[in-house]
Amino acid sequence: MPEKFQDQIYGRPQEARLWVGQLDYTLPMGEKATFEAGLKTSIADDEPTQFFLQRDLSTGNYVENDSITNSFPFNEQVYAGYSIYKNTIGKIGFQVGARGEWTNNQGVDGNSGTRYINEYFDLFPSAYLTYALSGEGEEIILNYSRRINRPSWGQFAPFYNAQDLLNTRFGNPGLRPEYTDSYEVGYNNNWRILALSSTIYHRRTSDAMTRIIGLLNNNAAVQLWENVNFRRDTGLELINQLKFHSSWDATLSGNFFYSEVNARNLDHDFVNSSFSWTVNLLSNWIIPQIATVQVMADYRGPIILPQGKIDPVYGVNLGVRKDMFNRRATLSINVSDVFNTRNFRIQTNDTRFSQTRSFYRETRIATLSFTYRFGGFYQREEMKEERYSDDPF
């Protein structure tokens, strides 16, 4: 068998969500007060499998590499219950609630037979307060919530990914979920041509999940998923909805924030912080008797990592839609990433090494579609509108 890997063939993960159930109940408690409670269960089975075949140059045959071929049968069960109380007193509206979740997930390393079990219960309180000001649609909002982000099987699975032998990857079966406490103060207002939503926020994520890159003995880089001490984000988010004319509208949003990540639990040098921002534009322009044009543009600033950053990414999408034959047919042309700029690049800076990785994906894609609607379509739509206009059921 040659030492050099000549070809690699991977099996596709098999996933199945077996059952998801939810039950909600709302109880009126006065003219403006309600009490809501619910239960939800989610049970999922996944069995990702990786096949790695290595070609024997002396025979030309493919032989399975047992040390890399692996499977990871994975089962996750989540049982949750929640309750919410809502009320309005004068200009003040409020909502308080809590959600409890019990989680059990288990995975088995197909090669070693090692079973990994994670079982935990969490409580997630929330509070939401609004105060109506004098103007129509003008209000101040205070909000607190606690959320969870669980690892996916792809982050759990102890697979050795060797598609690039100088940059390998492993999953981490011991990875824990991350928890985010979010505090927000907002101001909303509606003017004749402008609707403004603004929020000042602070979010702290404990046990934050992130990628860490190390070196093997042969100087190949290895990427692992790890939990770090915390990640903090403090910033200002603005959403502006503008209507210049009945035929032209735009939504412009921006998020300007300061991020900190602390991974000193892994290495004393793994600390990083930086300012960043995102800007998004969505604009629709109706050209009478001709077509409707939509432009989407976005810019995402740098994202910090314990050992470096993900460089900024930006791009523009363009779409044109034309209704034809008395609106029975529609011709659409869409182009994503018009200027072919959405390239993904990660810079890693460590005391032992520096690395820059670039990923060039197929993002500039043009599609042409034609839709024709046969008779009866509009009649069915009108029947739906009649049914739902007066009857909520």
Side-chain angles (χ1 to χ4, degrees), residues 153-168:
W153 67 258
Q155 295 167 306
F156 274 130
F159 287 171
Y160 177 83
N161 188 318
Q163 292 180 349
D164 177 355
L165 295 182
L166 295 179
N167 295 276
T168 56

Side-chain angles (χ1 to χ4, degrees), residues 274-393:
S274 177
F275 282 98
S276 190
W277 58 93
T278 62
V279 179
N280 296 276
L281 172 66
L282 172 63
S283 182
N284 298 285
W285 182 26
I286 301 174
I287 306 175
Q289 309 303 319
I290 299 179
T292 300
V293 180
Q294 183 179 85
V295 176
M296 298 177 61
D298 61 86
Y299 177 93
R300 176 190 55 74
I303 297 176
I304 62 168
L305 302 171
Q307 298 165 282
K309 66 176 180 177
I310 303 175
D311 282 355
V313 175
Y314 60 94
V316 176
N317 298 342
L318 179 64
V320 179
R321 170 176 168 159
K322 169 66 175 177
D323 289 326
M324 307 166 65
F325 308 128
N326 196 27
R327 295 185 62 196
R328 285 184 174 271
T330 301
L331 179 67
S332 300
I333 302 174
N334 297 282
V335 181
S336 63
D337 195 11
V338 175
F339 303 105
N340 198 28
T341 55
R342 288 197 174 101
N343 299 321
F344 191 72
R345 190 168 72 168
I346 302 177
Q347 296 188 40
T348 304
N349 298 301
D350 195 279
T351 54
R352 298 159 295 171
F353 68 96
S354 294
Q355 181 191 66
T356 299
R357 298 188 68 193
S358 296
F359 303 86
Y360 295 90
R361 298 170 180 168
E362 187 180 32
T363 57
R364 183 164 58 180
I365 301 173
T367 59
L368 174 65
S369 63
F370 178 80
T371 304
Y372 186 84
R373 293 173 284 273
F374 293 93
F377 175 80
Y378 290 107
Q379 289 84 350
R380 290 194 298 271
E381 290 299 310
E382 289 172 2
M383 289 176 63
K384 287 182 182 178
E385 289 180 5
E386 281 186 19
R387 176 184 175 187
Y388 291 116
S389 59
D390 298 318
D391 187 356
F393 300 102

Side-chain angles (χ1 to χ4, degrees), residues 14-26:
Q14 303 300 314
E15 305 176 45
R17 183 160 293 278
L18 296 182
W19 183 76
V20 177
Q22 184 168 342
L23 175 65
D24 301 288
Y25 178 72
T26 301

